[in-house]
Amino acid sequence: MRSARLLASIVVAGSLLLAGCGGDDKGGGKDEPEAQGSSSPEAPDTWPLTGLQVPKGQQAEQEHPVMVLKMDNTPSSAPQVGLGKADLVVEELVEGGVTRLAAFYYSTIPGEVGPVRSMRASDIGIVAPVDAAMVTSGAAPVTIARIKDAGIDFFAEGAKGFYREGGRSAPYNLFTDMKKTATLVKQDAARPDDYLPWGKAADLPKGQPATRIAASFSGGHTTNWVFRDKGYVNENSYAAEGDEFPADTVLVLRVKVGDAGYRDPAGNPVPETKFEGKGAALLFHQGRLVRGTWSKKSLEAPLELSTKAGELVVPAGRTFIELVPEGNGGDVSFE
């Protein structure tokens, strides 16, 4: 995005220069108005994970990358802590028909966050587009090898900030102080790329009314949303009271799911979400549904959205992305 602004500035500057040098072959008379100097203010900084404007006095370039924490999403995780501070959340299928959350943090790095759980190969396509670093309890050896081959940094138990919380049973008692963990990443301050094609609600097609959503990942897990008070409320969230993720938009992407090639300790086959290629997209915003298509040219490529009429944008705000399987018990319903 910064390169796009730079290119735009060069084009504008070149146009002004040509306008100043060009002229009438007969020369200009004194009665002609003099060229007035003009300058357009640079577009305001926006956060890459929400598209919202950066508050005055702050900047979008941070000394830490996007931090993505893998969070348990079963009744055993209750209460989840820190979800309300996330910029963006992705829900993905894991073994046993349950789901796990990838909570993205950038504009605000919270303190206590958890419970922290393990990575999956599915996470490569989820975090790679913004060069995120992952916060995790670990992963199977085959998954760790693939995460490393993808060039993704990750931090697990034993790293700075991690601790076990008393009063909870393992493995649901692993937490981290994200402020401490984020200091482990050394990088030059740079703004990540936009995670979604941000725009305005006014840019959306009219769509159709849809105030209730049921995103089913399997026969055993469905995430239910209702549009209320200008936002979407997760009716079966495990978040601590007052710490729920405040979704302005729910973006459902239908994805192919394959076999990761190994089983978990309980003997369940581990699914792998194929977050590349293309599929159906359902964008829910302000109580309405807009249908479209999503595409990703590779795991590392940015997510693109479109309708038959052209590009589809996501209104700036907090977005919850549901990666719902195309088959294997996956389904989306609304009313």
Side-chain angles (χ1 to χ4, degrees), residues 206-243:
K206 183 177 180 180
Q208 64 188 96
T211 57
R212 286 189 173 273
I213 312 161
S216 297
F217 287 79
S218 69
H221 179 80
T222 297
T223 300
N224 297 308
W225 296 91
V226 60
F227 181 67
R228 182 187 303 149
D229 297 330
K230 300 182 179 180
Y232 289 87
V233 177
N234 183 346
E235 294 185 302
N236 51 347
S237 172
Y238 301 115
E241 185 175 356
D243 202 6

Side-chain angles (χ1 to χ4, degrees), residues 22-320:
D24 191 354
D25 289 341
K26 296 181 182 180
K30 289 185 179 181
D31 57 341
E32 293 180 359
E34 294 183 2
Q36 298 295 318
S38 63
S39 62
S40 57
E42 185 179 354
D45 275 347
T46 56
W47 295 117
L49 302 182
T50 64
L52 296 172
Q53 186 172 336
V54 176
K56 187 176 182 179
Q58 299 183 35
Q59 58 184 18
E61 293 80 7
Q62 301 291 305
E63 294 182 352
H64 59 78
V66 172
M67 305 292 291
V68 178
L69 180 134
K70 290 307 300 292
M71 184 178 290
D72 190 82
N73 195 44
T74 66
S76 299
S77 68
Q80 297 163 330
V81 178
L83 202 57
K85 296 290 181 65
D87 289 320
L88 178 145
V89 176
V90 178
E91 183 173 14
E92 61 185 290
L93 179 69
V94 293
E95 60 275 13
V98 300
T99 64
R100 197 153 289 176
L101 305 180
F104 285 63
Y105 300 90
Y106 184 73
S107 65
T108 299
I109 299 297
E112 182 182 30
V113 188
V116 184
R117 296 302 305 276
S118 57
M119 302 178 291
R120 297 292 181 273
S122 305
D123 295 320
I124 296 173
I126 293 172
V127 309
V130 286
D131 296 323
M134 297 196 68
V135 180
T136 173
S137 63
V142 63
T143 299
I144 289 177
R146 292 183 61 182
I147 294 288
K148 288 182 175 179
D149 286 344
I152 297 172
D153 291 329
F154 65 92
F155 303 97
E157 185 174 12
K160 186 178 180 180
F162 283 83
Y163 62 94
R164 292 281 176 176
E165 185 177 89
R168 296 192 187 222
S169 59
Y172 310 102
N173 60 348
L174 182 61
F175 283 72
T176 189
D177 183 333
M178 185 76 83
K179 288 184 182 295
K180 294 180 179 178
T181 307
T183 65
L184 296 173
V185 190
K186 297 180 180 179
Q187 72 164 31
D188 295 330
R191 182 192 185 282
D193 294 331
D194 284 340
Y195 195 80
L196 293 168
W198 302 115
K200 299 178 181 179
D203 299 328
L204 292 177
K206 183 177 180 180
Q208 64 188 96
T211 57
R212 286 189 173 273
I213 312 161
S216 297
F217 287 79
S218 69
H221 179 80
T222 297
T223 300
N224 297 308
W225 296 91
V226 60
F227 181 67
R228 182 187 303 149
D229 297 330
K230 300 182 179 180
Y232 289 87
V233 177
N234 183 346
E235 294 185 302
N236 51 347
S237 172
Y238 301 115
E241 185 175 356
D243 202 6
E244 300 89 352
F245 181 77
D248 298 301
T249 300
V250 175
L251 177 61
V252 179
L253 307 177
R254 302 306 302 272
V255 296
K256 293 181 173 62
V257 176
D259 191 330
Y262 66 97
R263 293 179 179 269
D264 71 0
N268 297 306
V270 177
E272 180 178 347
T273 297
K274 308 293 185 180
F275 201 21
E276 61 181 329
K278 62 181 180 179
L282 297 89
L283 190 155
F284 297 88
H285 183 76
Q286 292 183 348
R288 303 192 69 83
L289 160 64
V290 177
R291 297 177 182 271
T293 301
W294 70 267
S295 63
K296 265 172 116 277
K297 296 178 181 177
S298 67
L299 292 176
E300 298 79 15
L303 181 67
E304 298 179 3
L305 300 171
S306 62
T307 65
K308 292 181 179 179
E311 181 185 17
L312 174 63
V313 299
V314 179
R318 312 278 281 281
T319 303
F320 197 106

